[in-house]
Amino acid sequence: MRFNAKDLALLARQPSGWFDKEGKLKICRVVGDEKLIEPRERWCRLKGNLLFLMKNKSSEASEVLILERCWVVEFRNKTDVSIVLKFQSGEPDLYLEAASKPDCESWAVALGEANSEGLRNKIQQLRRLIMEIKEERSADEASQFLPSSQLDSLGEPQFTSIRRIANEPKLEFSLACKDLAAATRDRKLNTFIQVSVVHPAEHVLTRYSSTEIVEGTRDPLFLTGVTFPPEYPIYEETKIKLTVYDVKDKSQDTVRTNVLPDHKEPRADVGRSFLGCTTFRVGDLIKSKEQQLTLTLRASDGGKTVGTIEVNLVKMGELEDGETDHITTDAQDQKFLCFLPLKSCSRGFLCATCVHNTENLERMTDRQAKEECALVRECTATESISGKDNLPSLNAVLKNPICKLYRFPTSDNKWMRIREQMAETTLSFHVPKELINLHIKEDMRRNQELKDLGELAPHWDNMRKSVIAHCDQMLSMYQDTLAELGKHTGSSFKSSCSKGEKTLEFIPINLHLQRMHVHSPRLKDALYDVITVGAPAAHFQGFKNGGLRKLLSKFEAERRNTGYQCIYYSPENTAKAKEVLSNINHLQPLISSHADLLLNSASQHSPDSLKNSLKMLSEKTELFVHAFKDQLVRSALLALYTARPGCVLKKPAAPRNSAEEGSDLQHQDHPSQIKRQDSIPHHSEYDEEEWDRVWANVGKSLNCVIAMVDRLLEKDNVGNVKEGENDPSAADCKVLHTGGDWYEQLYPLVITLKDCMGEVVTRAKQSMAFVLLQELACGLPQCLMLTLRRDIVFSQALAGLVCGFIIKLHTGLHDQGFLQQLHTVGLLVQYEGLLSTYSEEAGMLEDMAVGISDLQKVMFKVIEAKSEDFLPLITGRREHYVIEVQLPAKMFELLPQEIKEGKLLRMYPVLFNVGINEQQTLAERFGDTTLQENINQENLELLKEYYKLFTEKMPPDCLPHFQEQNDLKGLLENLHQNIQARKRKNVEIMWLAATICRKLNGVRFTCCKSAKDRTSMSVTLEQCSILRDEHQLHKDFFIRALDCMRREGCRIENVLKNVKCRKYAFNMIQLMAFPKYYRPPEGTYGKADT
């Protein structure tokens, strides 16, 4: 080789900044494994493909190496700091030793990229990046300058639409590669495919999705497919570009899928290299004879072939061998296997699809069919609901769906297909707003009742003024919060980054429906739902002093020991006072209305109408009278009497006193308490029997009305009047004649009834308001702050519950066993908690436990929708709520008569928590896990009560999927043993509880702090476990399926939605503390804001 020595010497003497890299290295020649001489220190300078070797920095170059037709061998030993340059010419290898491992690695990279081949790779990479930048810029410009309506409709008239089953995804296909070419012979490929879409009108390339990474093969078969939802603008003329990449470092290749309009993801080209790409038309795939395309992959210059790629059209209703499930809607008296997968549509999420597999049904008896998978429903053809009927009610609840497609091998070497779906819910904001509005009305009513107490002695009056002032401040806060929520537009979920925002504290965190629809070759299609939501907790208020469980206990203990300025009433009696007030507000207008209807029937002289009106009036009046039987009202009236101004107080009564009698305390072991209650004495001038007389007058007045109606009807039937000589009711009536007009004879009796009821209402309202005054006065301002915190936590919990109930109701509409269970027993709601019992998360767990327990006071009622608004309605008060779920007429007709008549449906919420992170490790070794143990034990008892109730009220074979009783008994006993074992991070508790919930037809919830990271690990593990246990997933593919769902599934999309980064918020140290199956795959975790 000819060269100019002077020019090379000049190059070697250039300033330091001119070189690509320079520094000290120890160098020697190597033949085989033997060094020819001991390594000598040299100053090395690299420029382009020239490596200058110098004795020191200022000396002349003693040797120049041209780095062509050579490669770098880097030793992987963590302690080794040497590399070797090997030459194709057969010359001795060059041994280079650096001062440190980082220096060694940087030299290896620099030398590896120094030759002309490395330069060509750089040029190709830069060309590819320029092309992608141009493509993305074009997409941005199109979005910027075209109105959204124009973008949505662009090209629709002139392009051919894809014909698919209604409400199914427009297009789904799977991918596989063959004979991929690697850069070097010994290189094992780790490949994935990036999918991009070219719209035929815009000619803009948009990244859409990608597959998982398949390692160590040149013939990868990808488990992750591609799915386009019904609303996606894709046509037969649309082109799909498939780009294959080889991943060198998975830890750097975590951001690969589509670019969202409001967020551009950082590039990840550092950890991957381009292999090849190809393009096809959607129409070619659909019209292909075998619905399969085999395409050639070509390098970036379009010349060299680097392999082939197979594209297979996927239909969820088809079997792998080509046999198809027959879909029909007109067969009579045949059984259908009804599944209700949520499918995205232009307005949100949809609807029921009935799939009829004739072969399976012919092979199974009815008994066998009932023993199949838990979530498969049965109905007859006449009962089926079309997608159009079911669409509006679900669209009112769910929106912004995300769908992923997989294919996994079964143990008998068949393929199952899985569609994973995730959707937000509009209930995240609807339910809290409805709830806050109810709180405002309830608090305004309470404040008015306190003002209506009348004149009080100075001590009590000052107390009332202070309470009302604090209550008005709290009321103003609720009103401001409602106003702020009314301004909210955009997303229907609250991201994990917003959990500390005050204006959103009533909104549940990251509430989503997670759904898995499984199509197996020899099993029924099955559907599995889990509601994922952040733990209901008051994040803005913080957890410095713990959560609700601790705060409520501490507050109650302090309230018992407050000074003598107020009267202590137990929480049970305070709740009773609120119930009495609620009954008054509910029953008084009803009784008044029925009394007016009675008079109207009398004026029309209608016997049948008169009977019906009297029946309704009697029922409501009896309920009204029964509401005041409690001793609390009488004792509260006495306490209120003594609080009036100018009341002459005698000496204090001994053991028998108003507060003790009224609140039924049974706390005589607290001397301070008895002393405080003695400050409210028993007044000798107070007539305790007066209330009994006032209260009894209502019943007597009703008896007079009943007696008069009986006489009028008897006269009408017989023609003469026969007054009973020994009629006890008649003796109390003032009007004894029965002649003349019916209305004139009933009117004075009805007025008397209303007057008596009005007097009872006035006294009872004042006495119960006085009880509430004591509750508030004894704990200001802590009482109101705790009420606020409890309202916040309950609001978050209720939004998730309403979502879960509605989805479960739609899924089970054709399951008569489930519907019977719903109105006979109630619905089991099982929460899986992943919070630790250390630091702030212990407070979150305390909040969550109280919030979920409070859901027991929620009842559901299903009503027929009277308009196009299908959002649920909420009525009631803090101690008792009724959620009215609206269904379209055709769906409402499918319900049992009991539910259609308005029977209230009970909820049975249970919570099982197992901390799994590094904080739980600290709690187990240095802290306290008693909170978790107590919660699990308490909820185990609740679960056993529900199971006992279920076995008592339901026939053994009522549910199609209900297993033998011994199975559930065994699971419950196993759960009991695991809870008692107190084993560290015993995740089997959660697995058992989830299995029991599914077998009992319950609703599943999974919660962690933000429902993002730990929840994703748990949900994906549950899905893969179901595929393994229920659908014969091949055991060798369990881990790969798990990694596939975590890397490319809906949960990584959930992470992106929350933190704008496709990484789970874990680090390596944290994951060392996690149970084995709760660790994400490499490259999917790292530093990310939570």
Side-chain angles (χ1 to χ4, degrees), residues 272-466:
R272 66 188 185 186
S273 62
F274 174 84
L275 285 182
C277 64
T278 187
T279 304
F280 69 92
R281 288 176 70 255
V282 171
D284 294 340
L285 175 62
I286 296 174
K287 295 175 182 178
S288 60
K289 192 171 184 179
E290 297 181 354
Q291 295 190 328
Q292 174 182 316
L293 296 177
T294 301
L295 308 170
T296 301
L297 285 169
R298 297 191 181 276
S300 57
D301 57 4
K304 182 181 178 183
T305 300
V306 294
T308 61
I309 184 168
E310 291 185 358
V311 184
N312 290 277
L313 191 66
V314 171
K315 295 179 181 178
M316 284 292 286
E318 285 190 356
L319 301 178
E320 190 68 20
D321 58 7
E323 296 178 0
T324 318
D325 291 340
H326 301 288
I327 301 175
T328 179
T329 56
D330 55 358
Q332 298 295 323
D333 299 324
Q334 294 192 37
K335 297 266 182 146
F336 282 74
L337 306 182
C338 296
F339 60 90
L340 292 127
L342 295 185
K343 308 173 186 69
S344 51
C345 69
S346 57
R347 289 179 290 169
F349 244 45
L350 187 92
C351 76
T353 305
C354 294
V355 176
H356 178 205
N357 189 326
T358 310
E359 288 187 352
N360 287 348
L361 287 175
E362 289 175 353
R363 289 196 294 262
M364 290 190 303
T365 64
D366 288 346
R367 178 65 181 176
Q368 289 171 328
K370 290 182 178 182
E371 295 174 352
E372 284 290 343
C373 178
L375 290 173
V376 178
R377 310 293 175 218
E378 286 190 354
C379 67
T380 61
T382 54
E383 292 172 336
S384 63
I385 293 293
S386 69
K388 184 177 179 181
D389 294 327
N390 201 14
L391 171 63
S393 56
L394 277 177
N395 280 341
V397 176
L398 301 170
K399 64 184 299 187
N400 296 337
I402 293 174
C403 186
K404 299 289 181 177
L405 181 70
Y406 313 99
R407 56 175 176 174
F408 297 141
T410 62
S411 56
D412 56 354
N413 297 318
K414 300 289 185 180
W415 287 101
M416 72 171 83
R417 294 183 181 130
I418 295 93
R419 185 181 293 149
E420 184 188 27
Q421 298 165 307
M422 182 182 72
E424 303 169 12
T425 171
T426 56
L427 300 174
S428 290
F429 282 82
H430 172 74
V431 170
K433 288 195 287 188
E434 291 285 303
L435 208 54
I436 294 172
N437 193 40
L438 284 179
H439 292 332
I440 291 172
K441 293 179 180 178
E442 181 181 351
D443 291 349
M444 290 178 67
R445 195 162 50 240
R446 178 198 58 199
N447 290 358
Q448 187 59 48
E449 288 164 352
L450 292 176
K451 294 174 183 177
D452 292 342
L453 273 175
E455 193 175 2
L456 298 175
H459 165 73
W460 300 105
D461 193 46
N462 292 334
M463 180 186 295
R464 174 172 59 176
K465 290 177 181 178
S466 176

Side-chain angles (χ1 to χ4, degrees), residues 756-1019:
C756 293
M757 184 177 63
E759 187 174 359
V760 169
V761 166
T762 300
R763 296 189 181 213
K765 267 191 172 184
Q766 288 184 344
S767 64
M768 296 299 96
F770 190 72
V771 172
L772 298 186
L773 175 63
Q774 309 308 310
E775 179 203 26
L776 294 169
C778 287
L780 282 177
Q782 293 89 344
C783 179
L784 293 177
M785 293 306 297
L786 280 176
T787 300
L788 170 63
R789 189 182 189 104
R790 198 165 188 171
D791 288 345
I792 290 169
V793 174
F794 179 76
S795 172
Q796 297 177 25
L798 182 64
L801 176 65
V802 175
C803 176
F805 178 86
I806 292 176
I807 298 302
K808 188 68 179 179
L809 181 64
H810 281 79
T811 306
L813 270 176
H814 298 88
D815 186 346
Q816 295 304 314
F818 165 72
L819 295 175
Q820 182 183 353
Q821 175 188 357
L822 187 61
H823 71 78
T824 305
V825 184
L827 183 64
L828 178 66
V829 185
Q830 185 255 325
Y831 288 81
E832 174 184 304
L834 299 162
L835 295 173
S836 69
T837 54
Y838 185 81
S839 188
E840 286 193 346
E841 288 199 6
M844 296 177 203
L845 181 57
E846 289 179 346
D847 275 358
M848 182 181 179
V850 174
I852 291 174
S853 177
D854 284 347
L855 294 177
Q856 297 179 56
K857 58 192 178 188
V858 176
M859 308 283 276
F860 280 82
K861 181 180 179 181
V862 185
I863 62 174
E864 183 178 350
K866 303 300 181 183
S867 68
E868 295 300 317
D869 183 6
F870 296 100
L871 287 173
L873 309 174
I874 305 178
T875 58
R877 54 184 175 83
R878 282 186 176 90
E879 302 300 325
H880 178 71
Y881 290 102
V882 176
I883 315 297
E884 297 182 352
V885 176
Q886 304 186 80
L887 289 182
K890 290 185 178 180
M891 298 176 69
F892 187 75
E893 287 303 316
L894 298 175
L895 297 173
Q897 191 63 32
E898 293 87 348
I899 297 180
K900 287 196 285 188
E901 290 175 354
K903 184 174 181 178
L904 295 180
L905 311 175
R906 289 198 60 186
M907 301 294 107
Y908 292 86
V910 294
L911 165 65
F912 294 95
N913 187 86
V914 176
I916 62 172
N917 64 358
E918 77 287 354
Q919 289 189 327
Q920 185 63 21
T921 302
L922 295 174
E924 289 170 343
R925 296 187 178 180
F926 310 111
D928 185 14
T929 60
T930 306
L931 173 63
Q932 176 175 286
E933 293 165 3
N934 291 341
I935 289 174
N936 290 343
Q937 185 61 47
E938 292 166 9
N939 285 272
L940 174 63
E941 298 305 317
L942 294 175
L943 182 58
K944 287 181 177 178
E945 288 179 14
Y946 179 84
Y947 173 68
K948 181 181 178 182
L949 192 64
F950 179 88
T951 54
E952 290 175 351
K953 293 191 175 183
M954 297 294 291
D957 58 347
C958 66
L959 298 179
H961 67 276
F962 192 73
Q963 307 297 319
E964 294 183 4
Q965 298 292 332
N966 292 336
D967 292 345
L968 272 170
K969 287 181 180 178
L971 288 170
L972 282 168
E973 181 59 32
N974 198 355
L975 178 61
H976 174 79
Q977 292 173 0
N978 275 275
I979 290 175
Q980 293 297 321
R982 299 184 179 180
K983 178 183 173 183
R984 291 180 178 177
K985 294 183 182 175
N986 189 0
V987 291
E988 192 171 351
I989 291 174
M990 298 187 293
W991 301 343
L992 288 167
T995 303
I996 293 170
C997 175
R998 286 195 297 270
K999 288 184 179 293
L1000 285 173
N1001 230 349
V1003 179
R1004 282 273 297 111
F1005 281 79
T1006 300
C1007 311
C1008 64
K1009 182 167 67 173
S1010 58
K1012 178 172 62 69
D1013 303 306
R1014 281 169 282 178
T1015 294
S1016 296
M1017 299 302 103
S1018 178
V1019 166

Side-chain angles (χ1 to χ4, degrees), residues 1031-1086:
H1031 299 275
Q1032 302 175 10
L1033 172 67
H1034 198 290
K1035 61 180 181 178
D1036 295 339
F1037 279 78
F1038 178 81
I1039 296 298
R1040 186 175 168 191
L1042 188 60
D1043 288 352
C1044 189
M1045 286 186 173
R1046 289 172 176 174
R1047 186 183 293 276
E1048 301 297 338
C1050 291
R1051 298 315 303 182
I1052 199 71
E1053 299 292 340
N1054 182 269
V1055 173
L1056 179 64
K1057 287 176 68 174
N1058 278 273
V1059 297
K1060 306 301 181 186
C1061 177
R1062 204 179 296 273
K1063 286 186 179 181
Y1064 299 111
F1066 303 130
N1067 58 49
M1068 186 61 71
I1069 297 177
Q1070 287 177 311
L1071 292 178
M1072 290 172 64
F1074 275 52
K1076 177 181 177 181
Y1077 291 113
Y1078 289 83
R1079 299 171 186 172
E1082 182 183 357
T1084 61
Y1085 58 88

